[in-house]
Amino acid sequence: MTLGQKIAILRNSLQLSQEQLSEQLEVSRQSVSKWESDVSVPEISKIIQLATIFNVSIDDMLRDEIPLEPSYTETLFKPKESISFNGKYFGTDGFRGEANENLNAMHAFKIGRFLGWYYSNNMSGNTNRRARIVIGKDTRRSSYMFEYAIVAGVTSSGADAYMLHVTTTPSVSYVVRQDGFDCGIMISASHNPYYDNGIKLLNRMGEKMDDYTLSLIEKYIDGDLSEFDVEGDDLPLAHKNKIGTVIDHVAGRNRYVGYLISIAANSYRNLSVALDCANGASWMIARSVFSALGANVHVINDHPDGININEQAGSTHINSLRKYVKENHLDVGFAFDGDADRLIAVDENGNVVNGDHIIYVIGKRLRDKGLLPGNKVVTTIMSNMGLYRALEDAGIGYVQTTVGDRYVHESMMENNYYLGGEQSGHVIVRKYSTTGDGILSAIMILEEMIDKKTTLGELAEPVKMYPQSIKNVTVVDKSAVANDQNILDEVEAISKELGSDGRILLRESGTEPIIRIMVESSSQKICDSLTDRVAKLIEKSGYCK
């Protein structure tokens, strides 16, 4: 763990903002941000002050590891005080919205303008070199519009734009890390319908962009230049030979394909594998990987036309793949979402193998190979009780985070865990990636099937999923619902009714005006009844449109 990571962990454990810590240290907030991003290191006098503020020894600050065990388990919502940035535009998975409605080409241009300027000057720690930004996109019709707008913004601010073209989110993450880019941009709305789109930002480590930088982008979008130390009413434009260039970087995508192939230790020549590419970003990459590894590959939903991405296809519409695997007597099927950062699998009998099953299968594999530090995996509060029972039986521990793969990754980094994920299929295998990667997860599953000489059905069988009901309620004010005592009292009453045989969760969507109600119990009838009960109370309380 780096010194910067320790500072960030300890600061958050005391619920201090960067501004509050900088005031105590009598330094600028930018200095704290640079320390936590490992751009610079504090002077020894400041390290001594930090040790005093955090109530740890100087040795603990400087040694390789520090004994920190922050709790990620929560009952209902992630505590508001632990969130340093409550974005106006950026949610847990980037800036997302309907194309040309609440996300338009001008937003994309301004994001490119800001990032091109920011990574070309001292505010980001850069010193006198041209910034380099890599950009990928999925197959949505609007992705091309946003791509060109971002490229125009990046280059007009004096940075170089490297274009990966249609590619996956994990490939952008890989290329950012391997090729030393300042940041990465992925244009995708993941599993959403084609008319939605999104802009995901990745830092130089291929991880989701930090909240501080996102807050600066939002200020620029809204015309607030107060923190940027620039003259006039906009960021300076590049001129003459300072204008950025545009570089075709498809070679980076090809290296990512080679990297995935290199992870596999076995030949797949005796396996028949189905791939559902959701008419999305994986439509070329996935086939290339598994064909190169020798599998008998069957591909469906690999003809994107700009408007059919995720349309009755991919990880959120698994039935077509289930039917295909059964009818063609295949060994396994893998379904990706629009940008291929998640995976839902289908076993040889057409049974769904979701993210919880995948965490269990890969977790056991890593544990058996001595690659599971702390003997724990990271899950979210939405993981099924069946996963926890199976992990306990296997002697594997777990921690929980709030919903969102960024929180899973934060927990993994802060506690040195190597595996984490969500039931939806986002699974992060930290030995190989800093983000969820559906194709990588599929490779890990096939490796385990071959090594254990068994089927996916047998590997996933110990995870016996509890019946579950999830109801989404569209509301006017998510926060008001989350803090309504009558609703919270009802949730508490239901929790007592369920006892140890079930659980109820109520949470705010990170990207939509929705409250999600989830109940797990011994019967589907009970689950449906209790979710309806809470939904009706929310509606009766006047929160619905």
Side-chain angles (χ1 to χ4, degrees):
M1 183 183 293
T2 67
L3 178 59
Q5 289 172 332
K6 295 174 190 176
I7 293 172
I9 296 167
L10 290 164
R11 175 178 62 78
N12 285 324
S13 70
L14 293 179
Q15 299 179 7
L16 291 174
S17 66
Q18 288 184 342
E19 290 86 349
Q20 290 169 325
L21 181 58
S22 67
E23 289 176 1
Q24 293 189 40
L25 294 170
E26 297 182 340
V27 298
S28 69
R29 175 170 44 78
Q30 287 87 346
S31 294
V32 175
S33 177
K34 289 177 182 178
W35 297 343
E36 294 185 355
S37 301
D38 294 321
V39 172
S40 62
V41 176
E43 298 175 358
I44 188 64
S45 62
K46 297 303 176 185
I47 293 176
I48 294 172
Q49 283 183 264
L50 287 165
T52 301
I53 292 170
F54 296 145
N55 194 28
V56 299
S57 69
I58 297 174
D59 286 342
D60 280 343
M61 290 296 300
L62 295 176
R63 68 184 183 180
D64 290 339
E65 295 185 2
I66 190 166
L68 300 172
E69 282 292 334
S71 172
Y72 283 82
T73 304
E74 66 175 3
T75 304
L76 294 173
F77 300 96
K78 188 175 178 68
K80 294 296 183 185
E81 61 269 22
S82 70
I83 300 176
S84 57
F85 168 65
N86 185 17
K88 176 180 177 181
Y89 302 110
F90 287 91
T92 56
D93 203 22
F95 186 161
R96 189 175 294 186
E98 183 174 339
N100 279 347
E101 288 291 335
N102 45 345
L103 171 60
N104 59 47
M106 186 55 69
H107 290 129
F109 176 74
K110 287 188 174 181
I111 290 170
R113 275 277 282 138
F114 177 84
L115 293 174
W117 170 82
Y118 180 71
Y119 286 106
S120 298
N121 70 71
N122 290 331
M123 191 172 188
S124 66
N126 193 352
T127 54
N128 299 319
R129 67 171 177 81
R130 189 187 290 269
R132 300 164 63 248
I133 297 173
V134 65
I135 303 161
K137 66 175 181 287
D138 69 16
T139 58
R140 289 162 220 271
R141 181 174 293 180
S142 63
S143 290
Y144 294 79
M145 172 181 71
F146 290 127
E147 177 187 48
Y148 295 140
I150 289 170
V151 167
V154 167
T155 54
S156 65
S157 286
D160 291 339
Y162 287 70
M163 299 173 68
L164 292 173
H165 306 289
V166 172
T167 193
T168 66
T169 292
S171 76
V172 177
S173 174
Y174 172 82
V175 170
V176 169
R177 298 193 313 274
Q178 292 300 116
D179 293 354
F181 285 96
D182 292 285
C183 73
I185 302 173
M186 179 64 186
I187 303 162
S188 177
S190 190
H191 62 281
N192 283 28
Y194 81 92
Y195 47 78
D196 287 338
N197 216 325
I199 299 174
K200 302 181 181 184
L201 304 180
L202 304 170
N203 65 18
R204 61 190 175 88
M205 297 304 295
E207 304 161 340
K208 292 195 173 181
M209 190 76 75
D210 64 279
D211 290 346
Y212 169 62
T213 305
L214 294 180
S215 70
L216 294 179
I217 297 171
E218 293 205 346
K219 288 181 179 180
Y220 176 64
I221 290 174
D222 286 340
D224 179 1
L225 306 182
S226 59
E227 294 194 38
F228 302 149
D229 192 26
V230 297
E231 297 180 0
D233 58 359
D234 203 348
L235 299 176
L237 288 164
H239 296 280
K240 297 180 180 177
N241 68 338
K242 298 296 184 182
I243 294 173
T245 58
V246 182
I247 298 97
D248 187 306
H249 198 55
V250 70
R253 185 182 69 196
N254 293 339
R255 282 200 303 277
Y256 167 73
V257 171
Y259 171 68
L260 289 175
I261 294 169
S262 73
I263 290 172
N266 295 288
S267 168
Y268 300 161
R269 65 179 181 273
N270 295 321
L271 290 173
S272 295
V273 178
L275 306 174
D276 183 344
C277 295
N279 294 310
S282 67
W283 76 278
M284 290 186 295
I285 293 176
R287 182 194 290 273
S288 299
V289 169
F290 293 103
S291 294
L293 290 169
N296 177 20
V297 179
H298 300 247
V299 186
I300 61 175
N301 297 314
D302 61 334
H303 293 86
D305 62 9
I307 61 175
N308 63 356
I309 185 171
N310 300 313
E311 184 180 5
Q312 296 302 309
S315 61
T316 52
H317 300 278
I318 199 69
N319 285 338
S320 59
L321 181 62
R322 295 179 66 190
K323 181 180 179 182
Y324 189 89
V325 169
K326 289 180 68 176
E327 288 181 349
N328 291 277
H329 308 289
L330 305 181
D331 295 302
V332 66
F334 298 119
F336 310 106
D337 63 340
D339 64 338
D341 64 351
R342 69 170 73 182
L343 169 75
I344 298 295
V346 172
D347 72 15
E348 67 283 2
N349 296 312
N351 298 314
V352 175
V353 177
N354 65 28
D356 284 347
H357 295 102
I358 294 169
I359 291 169
Y360 175 80
V361 171
I362 298 178
K364 284 194 67 178
R365 176 176 178 79
L366 294 180
R367 191 272 309 276
D368 293 346
K369 291 183 174 294
L371 296 174
L372 200 65
N375 195 37
K376 287 182 179 179
V377 301
V378 182
T379 70
T380 76
I381 56 171
M382 295 299 284
S383 282
N384 192 277
M385 290 174 64
L387 169 63
Y388 299 131
R389 300 290 184 263
L391 288 171
E392 290 166 358
D393 291 343
I396 298 174
Y398 57 86
V399 296
Q400 293 176 302
T401 76
T402 193
V403 174
D405 58 326
R406 69 172 296 175
Y407 302 117
V408 171
H409 182 256
E410 286 175 7
S411 175
M412 293 171 67
M413 293 298 293
E414 292 176 6
N415 296 282
N416 195 35
Y417 297 137
Y418 269 32
L419 177 67
E422 301 182 283
Q423 188 183 105
S424 62
H426 283 117
V427 177
I428 303 171
V429 185
R430 196 174 134 216
K431 176 177 171 63
Y432 302 108
S433 179
T434 57
T435 189
D437 188 331
I439 300 175
L440 171 61
S441 295
I443 290 172
M444 299 293 288
I445 288 171
L446 291 177
E447 291 292 300
E448 186 70 353
M449 287 170 59
I450 293 171
D451 287 349
K452 293 293 173 62
K453 297 180 173 60
T454 189
T455 65
L456 177 54
E458 290 185 2
L459 290 174
E461 193 274 336
V463 182
K464 302 184 187 302
M465 302 293 284
Y466 275 57
Q468 185 182 82
S469 177
I470 299 176
K471 196 173 189 67
N472 296 329
V473 182
T474 301
V475 295
V476 176
D477 188 338
K478 293 183 293 187
S479 179
V481 178
N483 292 284
D484 187 304
Q485 195 58 51
N486 288 334
I487 294 172
L488 296 180
D489 288 345
E490 181 71 357
V491 169
E492 179 64 23
I494 290 173
S495 180
K496 290 179 179 178
E497 290 176 27
L498 291 169
S500 60
D501 292 328
R503 63 178 182 139
I504 179 170
L505 290 171
L506 190 74
R507 73 174 188 88
E508 302 171 65
S509 167
T511 59
E512 301 172 276
I514 284 173
I515 289 289
R516 304 194 197 280
I517 310 158
M518 189 273 282
V519 174
E520 287 175 358
S521 184
S522 56
S523 81
Q524 191 65 50
K525 183 177 179 180
I526 292 174
C527 293
D528 294 341
S529 172
L530 293 178
T531 53
D532 286 344
R533 183 168 138 191
V534 178
K536 288 176 181 177
L537 177 58
I538 293 173
E539 184 176 356
K540 182 180 177 181
S541 300
Y543 291 113
C544 298
K545 294 181 179 180

